[in-house]
Amino acid sequence: YKAFFGFLIMALDNLVVGRLELILRHADMRDIGFVYELMRNHFEDLFNQTSEKWSRAKFRYGYNPDRITIIEHDMPIGFFDLEVSVPVVRWHSLHISRDYQGKGIGTQVTAYVEERVKEHNATAIIGKVFKTNQRSLHLLKKFDYAIEKELSEEDSFLIRKDLVAN
């Protein structure tokens, strides 16, 4: 077990999505290159359309492997970044390599995350989504996340889901 912002979570967990067996594991500093490249490939253009701009230095400064879970299928294929501080969980990102998108991984990871944080009495999950990120907006709508606020300076939405404890 590893302490994770007040939570005890398994160091390794498995998810099966269709015929794919996935391993979820904690990130460490060796994963920084993979996480950087996946985020850059997905977000560099979107960040550059805002006042924030994509920055390698900002990424490195903000990289916190204690918050990141790597998704593997023989090799890293994605990751998610959660900042857990009960009662509210901040979901910073979920990225899946393009070769593995559209296979239900995002759906299964979202369900997994919700169940895990409910087990620890989290009452809500919040995050930001770029307005043009239709894939994520569609997924979050499927899970009943609501747009709480428009963040026009970032060209994004603040999203929220209130959780019901089991």
Side-chain angles (χ1 to χ4, degrees):
Y1 288 90
K2 178 178 179 182
F4 179 67
F5 289 84
F7 284 77
L8 290 177
I9 64 174
M10 298 292 287
L12 285 175
D13 223 340
N14 296 314
L15 280 180
V16 176
V17 180
R19 298 161 88 185
L20 297 174
E21 293 182 26
L22 306 176
I23 295 172
L24 305 180
R25 67 165 176 84
H26 295 290
D28 59 37
M29 287 308 291
R30 293 173 294 185
D31 294 304
I32 193 169
F34 169 74
V35 172
Y36 175 82
E37 284 302 320
L38 194 53
M39 275 191 79
R40 188 184 62 76
N41 286 334
H42 290 173
F43 278 167
E44 182 174 28
D45 291 342
L46 293 171
F47 270 97
N48 287 339
Q49 293 171 18
T50 70
S51 60
E52 194 169 347
K53 305 295 182 215
W54 182 259
S55 163
R56 181 183 295 262
K58 272 199 235 178
F59 170 85
R60 181 175 287 283
Y61 176 77
Y63 180 73
N64 184 344
D66 290 336
R67 294 190 332 218
I68 297 172
T69 299
I70 301 294
I71 304 164
E72 292 185 338
H73 177 68
D74 298 327
M75 62 183 194
I77 63 163
F79 73 92
F80 57 92
D81 180 346
L82 294 174
E83 185 175 345
V84 180
S85 57
V86 173
V88 176
V89 172
R90 180 175 295 276
W91 196 333
H92 291 282
S93 58
L94 167 61
H95 294 274
I96 309 294
S97 298
R98 294 201 198 285
D99 291 346
Y100 287 88
Q101 290 179 2
K103 298 182 184 308
I105 296 169
T107 299
Q108 290 295 320
V109 167
T110 301
Y112 169 86
V113 165
E114 286 188 9
E115 286 306 309
R116 294 305 300 228
V117 299
K118 280 186 206 176
E119 290 171 6
H120 297 285
N121 301 315
T123 59
I125 299 175
I126 62 171
K128 291 192 247 181
V129 178
F130 282 110
K131 292 178 188 176
T132 56
N133 190 344
Q134 293 303 307
R135 182 181 293 270
S136 290
L137 289 169
H138 177 73
L139 174 66
L140 294 169
K141 183 177 180 181
K142 201 163 68 168
F143 278 88
D144 298 321
Y145 284 77
I147 294 173
E148 193 165 82
K149 183 178 173 182
E150 182 177 347
L151 305 169
S152 51
E153 68 281 356
E154 297 177 16
D155 201 28
S156 62
F157 296 116
L158 179 66
I159 54 99
R160 179 185 184 97
K161 180 173 182 178
D162 291 314
L163 303 171
V164 178
N166 290 338

Short mmCIF file of all heavy atoms in Angstrom, two decimals, residues 95-133:
data_model
loop_
_atom_site.label_atom_id
_atom_site.label_comp_id
_atom_site.label_asym_id
_atom_site.label_seq_id
_atom_site.Cartn_x
_atom_site.Cartn_y
_atom_site.Cartn_z
N HIS A 95 -5.44 10.59 -19.79
CA HIS A 95 -4.92 10.52 -21.15
C HIS A 95 -4.72 9.07 -21.55
O HIS A 95 -4.11 8.31 -20.79
CB HIS A 95 -3.58 11.26 -21.27
CG HIS A 95 -3.69 12.73 -21.07
ND1 HIS A 95 -4.01 13.59 -22.08
CD2 HIS A 95 -3.56 13.49 -19.95
CE1 HIS A 95 -4.05 14.83 -21.60
NE2 HIS A 95 -3.78 14.78 -20.31
N ILE A 96 -5.20 8.73 -22.72
CA ILE A 96 -5.03 7.39 -23.29
C ILE A 96 -4.33 7.57 -24.63
O ILE A 96 -4.73 8.43 -25.43
CB ILE A 96 -6.38 6.68 -23.50
CG1 ILE A 96 -7.24 6.70 -22.23
CG2 ILE A 96 -6.18 5.26 -24.04
CD1 ILE A 96 -6.70 5.91 -21.07
N SER A 97 -3.30 6.77 -24.89
CA SER A 97 -2.61 6.83 -26.19
C SER A 97 -3.62 6.64 -27.32
O SER A 97 -4.56 5.86 -27.20
CB SER A 97 -1.55 5.73 -26.29
OG SER A 97 -0.57 5.90 -25.31
N ARG A 98 -3.41 7.35 -28.41
CA ARG A 98 -4.37 7.31 -29.54
C ARG A 98 -4.67 5.90 -30.01
O ARG A 98 -5.80 5.58 -30.36
CB ARG A 98 -3.85 8.16 -30.69
CG ARG A 98 -3.80 9.63 -30.33
CD ARG A 98 -3.77 10.54 -31.52
NE ARG A 98 -3.32 11.87 -31.19
CZ ARG A 98 -4.03 12.79 -30.54
NH1 ARG A 98 -5.23 12.50 -30.13
NH2 ARG A 98 -3.54 13.99 -30.29
N ASP A 99 -3.69 5.00 -30.02
CA ASP A 99 -3.91 3.62 -30.47
C ASP A 99 -4.90 2.87 -29.58
O ASP A 99 -5.44 1.84 -30.00
CB ASP A 99 -2.60 2.83 -30.49
CG ASP A 99 -1.65 3.31 -31.57
OD1 ASP A 99 -2.08 4.06 -32.48
OD2 ASP A 99 -0.46 2.93 -31.52
N TYR A 100 -5.12 3.34 -28.37
CA TYR A 100 -6.01 2.64 -27.42
C TYR A 100 -7.29 3.41 -27.14
O TYR A 100 -8.12 2.96 -26.34
CB TYR A 100 -5.25 2.37 -26.11
CG TYR A 100 -4.23 1.28 -26.28
CD1 TYR A 100 -2.94 1.57 -26.70
CD2 TYR A 100 -4.56 -0.05 -26.05
CE1 TYR A 100 -2.00 0.57 -26.88
CE2 TYR A 100 -3.62 -1.06 -26.22
CZ TYR A 100 -2.35 -0.74 -26.64
OH TYR A 100 -1.44 -1.74 -26.82
N GLN A 101 -7.49 4.55 -27.80
CA GLN A 101 -8.73 5.30 -27.61
C GLN A 101 -9.88 4.58 -28.32
O GLN A 101 -9.67 3.85 -29.29
CB GLN A 101 -8.58 6.72 -28.14
CG GLN A 101 -7.65 7.55 -27.29
CD GLN A 101 -7.46 8.96 -27.82
OE1 GLN A 101 -8.05 9.37 -28.82
NE2 GLN A 101 -6.62 9.72 -27.14
N GLY A 102 -11.08 4.78 -27.82
CA GLY A 102 -12.26 4.19 -28.44
C GLY A 102 -12.47 2.72 -28.09
O GLY A 102 -13.28 2.04 -28.70
N LYS A 103 -11.76 2.23 -27.10
CA LYS A 103 -11.87 0.82 -26.70
C LYS A 103 -12.56 0.65 -25.35
O LYS A 103 -12.60 -0.43 -24.80
CB LYS A 103 -10.48 0.18 -26.66
CG LYS A 103 -9.79 0.17 -28.01
CD LYS A 103 -8.45 -0.52 -27.95
CE LYS A 103 -7.69 -0.46 -29.26
NZ LYS A 103 -8.39 -0.91 -30.42
N GLY A 104 -13.05 1.76 -24.78
CA GLY A 104 -13.74 1.69 -23.50
C GLY A 104 -12.85 1.88 -22.29
O GLY A 104 -13.32 1.79 -21.15
N ILE A 105 -11.58 2.17 -22.50
CA ILE A 105 -10.65 2.33 -21.37
C ILE A 105 -11.03 3.55 -20.54
O ILE A 105 -11.06 3.48 -19.30
CB ILE A 105 -9.19 2.41 -21.86
CG1 ILE A 105 -8.81 1.08 -22.51
CG2 ILE A 105 -8.25 2.76 -20.71
CD1 ILE A 105 -7.49 1.10 -23.26
N GLY A 106 -11.33 4.67 -21.18
CA GLY A 106 -11.71 5.88 -20.44
C GLY A 106 -12.95 5.64 -19.59
O GLY A 106 -13.03 6.10 -18.45
N THR A 107 -13.91 4.91 -20.13
CA THR A 107 -15.13 4.60 -19.39
C THR A 107 -14.82 3.74 -18.17
O THR A 107 -15.28 4.03 -17.06
CB THR A 107 -16.13 3.86 -20.31
OG1 THR A 107 -16.46 4.74 -21.41
CG2 THR A 107 -17.39 3.47 -19.57
N GLN A 108 -14.02 2.70 -18.35
CA GLN A 108 -13.68 1.82 -17.23
C GLN A 108 -12.84 2.53 -16.18
O GLN A 108 -13.04 2.32 -14.98
CB GLN A 108 -12.95 0.57 -17.73
CG GLN A 108 -13.82 -0.36 -18.51
CD GLN A 108 -14.93 -0.96 -17.66
OE1 GLN A 108 -14.72 -1.31 -16.51
NE2 GLN A 108 -16.12 -1.05 -18.22
N VAL A 109 -11.91 3.36 -16.61
CA VAL A 109 -11.08 4.10 -15.66
C VAL A 109 -11.93 5.09 -14.87
O VAL A 109 -11.78 5.22 -13.65
CB VAL A 109 -9.89 4.80 -16.36
CG1 VAL A 109 -9.22 5.82 -15.44
CG2 VAL A 109 -8.88 3.78 -16.84
N THR A 110 -12.86 5.75 -15.53
CA THR A 110 -13.74 6.70 -14.84
C THR A 110 -14.57 5.98 -13.78
O THR A 110 -14.67 6.44 -12.64
CB THR A 110 -14.64 7.44 -15.84
OG1 THR A 110 -13.79 8.14 -16.78
CG2 THR A 110 -15.55 8.43 -15.15
N ALA A 111 -15.14 4.84 -14.13
CA ALA A 111 -15.92 4.06 -13.16
C ALA A 111 -15.03 3.61 -12.00
O ALA A 111 -15.44 3.67 -10.83
CB ALA A 111 -16.57 2.86 -13.84
N TYR A 112 -13.83 3.15 -12.31
CA TYR A 112 -12.87 2.71 -11.30
C TYR A 112 -12.55 3.85 -10.32
O TYR A 112 -12.59 3.68 -9.10
CB TYR A 112 -11.60 2.21 -11.98
CG TYR A 112 -10.44 1.98 -11.05
CD1 TYR A 112 -10.30 0.76 -10.38
CD2 TYR A 112 -9.49 2.96 -10.84
CE1 TYR A 112 -9.23 0.54 -9.52
CE2 TYR A 112 -8.42 2.75 -9.99
CZ TYR A 112 -8.30 1.55 -9.32
OH TYR A 112 -7.25 1.34 -8.47
N VAL A 113 -12.22 5.02 -10.87
CA VAL A 113 -11.86 6.17 -10.03
C VAL A 113 -13.03 6.54 -9.12
O VAL A 113 -12.85 6.75 -7.92
CB VAL A 113 -11.42 7.37 -10.89
CG1 VAL A 113 -11.40 8.66 -10.09
CG2 VAL A 113 -10.07 7.09 -11.52
N GLU A 114 -14.22 6.60 -9.68
CA GLU A 114 -15.38 6.96 -8.86
C GLU A 114 -15.58 5.98 -7.71
O GLU A 114 -15.84 6.38 -6.57
CB GLU A 114 -16.64 7.06 -9.72
CG GLU A 114 -16.65 8.30 -10.57
CD GLU A 114 -17.97 8.52 -11.29
OE1 GLU A 114 -18.96 7.79 -11.00
OE2 GLU A 114 -18.02 9.42 -12.13
N GLU A 115 -15.47 4.70 -7.98
CA GLU A 115 -15.65 3.70 -6.92
C GLU A 115 -14.57 3.83 -5.85
O GLU A 115 -14.86 3.73 -4.66
CB GLU A 115 -15.68 2.28 -7.50
CG GLU A 115 -16.97 1.97 -8.21
CD GLU A 115 -18.21 2.22 -7.36
OE1 GLU A 115 -18.27 1.74 -6.21
OE2 GLU A 115 -19.12 2.93 -7.84
N ARG A 116 -13.33 4.01 -6.28
CA ARG A 116 -12.24 4.12 -5.30
C ARG A 116 -12.39 5.34 -4.41
O ARG A 116 -12.18 5.26 -3.21
CB ARG A 116 -10.88 4.16 -6.02
CG ARG A 116 -10.49 2.90 -6.75
CD ARG A 116 -10.51 1.68 -5.86
NE ARG A 116 -9.61 1.79 -4.74
CZ ARG A 116 -8.74 0.89 -4.36
NH1 ARG A 116 -8.65 -0.24 -5.01
NH2 ARG A 116 -7.97 1.10 -3.32
N VAL A 117 -12.74 6.48 -4.97
CA VAL A 117 -12.85 7.68 -4.14
C VAL A 117 -14.09 7.63 -3.24
O VAL A 117 -14.06 8.15 -2.13
CB VAL A 117 -12.75 8.99 -4.94
CG1 VAL A 117 -11.40 9.08 -5.65
CG2 VAL A 117 -13.89 9.18 -5.90
N LYS A 118 -15.16 6.99 -3.70
CA LYS A 118 -16.35 6.82 -2.85
C LYS A 118 -16.01 5.97 -1.63
O LYS A 118 -16.52 6.23 -0.54
CB LYS A 118 -17.48 6.13 -3.62
CG LYS A 118 -18.27 7.03 -4.52
CD LYS A 118 -19.43 6.22 -5.07
CE LYS A 118 -19.91 6.74 -6.37
NZ LYS A 118 -20.96 5.88 -6.93
N GLU A 119 -15.16 4.95 -1.82
CA GLU A 119 -14.77 4.08 -0.70
C GLU A 119 -14.11 4.87 0.42
O GLU A 119 -14.08 4.43 1.56
CB GLU A 119 -13.79 3.01 -1.18
CG GLU A 119 -14.40 1.96 -2.06
CD GLU A 119 -13.35 1.04 -2.68
OE1 GLU A 119 -12.15 1.15 -2.32
OE2 GLU A 119 -13.73 0.21 -3.52
N HIS A 120 -13.56 6.03 0.10
CA HIS A 120 -12.85 6.85 1.07
C HIS A 120 -13.64 8.11 1.43
O HIS A 120 -13.05 9.09 1.87
CB HIS A 120 -11.46 7.18 0.56
CG HIS A 120 -10.62 5.95 0.39
ND1 HIS A 120 -10.08 5.27 1.45
CD2 HIS A 120 -10.29 5.26 -0.72
CE1 HIS A 120 -9.43 4.21 1.01
NE2 HIS A 120 -9.53 4.18 -0.30
N ASN A 121 -14.95 8.05 1.18
CA ASN A 121 -15.88 9.11 1.61
C ASN A 121 -15.70 10.46 0.91
O ASN A 121 -16.04 11.49 1.48
CB ASN A 121 -15.84 9.29 3.13
CG ASN A 121 -16.21 8.00 3.84
OD1 ASN A 121 -17.18 7.34 3.46
ND2 ASN A 121 -15.43 7.63 4.83
N ALA A 122 -15.18 10.44 -0.30
CA ALA A 122 -15.15 11.68 -1.08
C ALA A 122 -16.58 12.04 -1.44
O ALA A 122 -17.41 11.16 -1.70
CB ALA A 122 -14.32 11.50 -2.34
N THR A 123 -16.90 13.31 -1.42
CA THR A 123 -18.26 13.75 -1.72
C THR A 123 -18.42 14.33 -3.12
O THR A 123 -19.53 14.47 -3.61
CB THR A 123 -18.73 14.80 -0.70
OG1 THR A 123 -17.84 15.93 -0.74
CG2 THR A 123 -18.77 14.21 0.70
N ALA A 124 -17.28 14.66 -3.77
CA ALA A 124 -17.37 15.25 -5.11
C ALA A 124 -16.06 15.09 -5.84
O ALA A 124 -14.99 14.96 -5.23
CB ALA A 124 -17.73 16.73 -5.03
N ILE A 125 -16.16 15.10 -7.16
CA ILE A 125 -15.00 15.14 -8.05
C ILE A 125 -15.15 16.39 -8.90
O ILE A 125 -16.23 16.63 -9.47
CB ILE A 125 -14.92 13.90 -8.96
CG1 ILE A 125 -14.78 12.62 -8.13
CG2 ILE A 125 -13.75 14.03 -9.93
CD1 ILE A 125 -14.83 11.34 -8.95
N ILE A 126 -14.10 17.20 -8.97
CA ILE A 126 -14.11 18.38 -9.81
C ILE A 126 -12.92 18.33 -10.75
O ILE A 126 -11.94 17.63 -10.51
CB ILE A 126 -14.10 19.69 -8.99
CG1 ILE A 126 -12.82 19.80 -8.15
CG2 ILE A 126 -15.34 19.80 -8.12
CD1 ILE A 126 -12.64 21.15 -7.48
N GLY A 127 -13.01 19.09 -11.83
CA GLY A 127 -11.91 19.16 -12.78
C GLY A 127 -12.18 20.21 -13.84
O GLY A 127 -13.21 20.89 -13.80
N LYS A 128 -11.27 20.33 -14.76
CA LYS A 128 -11.42 21.24 -15.89
C LYS A 128 -11.31 20.46 -17.18
O LYS A 128 -10.53 19.51 -17.26
CB LYS A 128 -10.34 22.32 -15.89
CG LYS A 128 -10.45 23.32 -14.79
CD LYS A 128 -9.52 24.49 -15.05
CE LYS A 128 -8.43 24.51 -14.03
NZ LYS A 128 -7.51 25.64 -14.22
N VAL A 129 -12.09 20.87 -18.18
CA VAL A 129 -12.06 20.23 -19.49
C VAL A 129 -12.08 21.35 -20.53
O VAL A 129 -12.89 22.27 -20.46
CB VAL A 129 -13.29 19.31 -19.70
CG1 VAL A 129 -13.26 18.70 -21.08
CG2 VAL A 129 -13.35 18.24 -18.64
N PHE A 130 -11.17 21.25 -21.50
CA PHE A 130 -11.20 22.21 -22.61
C PHE A 130 -12.54 22.09 -23.33
O PHE A 130 -13.05 20.98 -23.54
CB PHE A 130 -10.07 21.94 -23.61
CG PHE A 130 -8.73 22.45 -23.16
CD1 PHE A 130 -7.73 21.57 -22.79
CD2 PHE A 130 -8.47 23.81 -23.12
CE1 PHE A 130 -6.49 22.03 -22.38
CE2 PHE A 130 -7.23 24.28 -22.72
CZ PHE A 130 -6.24 23.39 -22.34
N LYS A 131 -13.09 23.22 -23.73
CA LYS A 131 -14.38 23.25 -24.44
C LYS A 131 -14.35 22.41 -25.72
O LYS A 131 -15.35 21.83 -26.10
CB LYS A 131 -14.77 24.68 -24.79
CG LYS A 131 -15.11 25.54 -23.61
CD LYS A 131 -15.42 26.95 -24.10
CE LYS A 131 -15.57 27.92 -22.97
NZ LYS A 131 -15.79 29.29 -23.48
N THR A 132 -13.20 22.36 -26.36
CA THR A 132 -13.10 21.64 -27.63
C THR A 132 -12.80 20.15 -27.45
O THR A 132 -12.72 19.42 -28.43
CB THR A 132 -12.00 22.27 -28.51
OG1 THR A 132 -10.77 22.27 -27.78
CG2 THR A 132 -12.37 23.69 -28.92
N ASN A 133 -12.66 19.69 -26.22
CA ASN A 133 -12.36 18.28 -25.96
C ASN A 133 -13.66 17.48 -25.91
O ASN A 133 -14.14 17.08 -24.85
CB ASN A 133 -11.56 18.14 -24.65
CG ASN A 133 -11.02 16.76 -24.44
OD1 ASN A 133 -11.43 15.79 -25.08
ND2 ASN A 133 -10.08 16.64 -23.52
#
